[in-house]
Amino acid sequence: MKGAKNMDYKAMRDRIEDMVNDNHRDFVKAIFSIEKGIDDESVLEKLYDAYMDNDSLDLLNEEFDYMIEDLRK
């Protein structure tokens, strides 16, 4: 991402939101690939489909939900 080095939180968030809105499937697959070290496109496709089929799956660990609750107290 050209110019990303000097981006603040808001600019970075806006850019990521644009990527999600433009191509949600490939965005999620890229996150899986980076976080889990998976480069096999067919595996990434299956993971994306499983993610979309299961409303209880989150991209972020549920432990963050507990941390957020504690921080908001």
Side-chain angles (χ1 to χ4, degrees):
M1 290 170 107
K2 189 173 182 169
K5 192 180 265 187
N6 297 322
M7 292 174 60
D8 64 3
Y9 154 76
K10 177 71 172 118
M12 184 72 68
R13 185 190 182 290
D14 290 345
R15 187 168 289 181
I16 291 170
E17 188 172 28
D18 288 344
M19 287 188 294
V20 169
N21 291 333
D22 288 345
N23 190 341
H24 185 263
R25 175 180 291 273
D26 284 339
F27 177 82
V28 171
K29 287 170 33 182
I31 297 296
F32 284 146
S33 177
I34 291 166
E35 287 296 310
K36 300 300 182 183
I38 300 168
D39 291 324
D40 186 324
E41 186 80 20
S42 65
V43 171
L44 293 169
E45 279 291 327
K46 290 174 186 171
L47 282 172
Y48 176 81
D49 290 339
Y51 167 71
M52 293 304 293
D53 288 342
N54 188 337
D55 290 338
S56 67
L57 288 177
D58 294 317
L59 282 179
L60 294 176
N61 188 305
E62 70 179 26
E63 188 65 29
F64 284 113
D65 294 334
Y66 303 123
M67 293 169 63
I68 292 166
E69 285 178 30
D70 288 342
L71 291 170
R72 288 185 172 165
K73 291 180 184 176

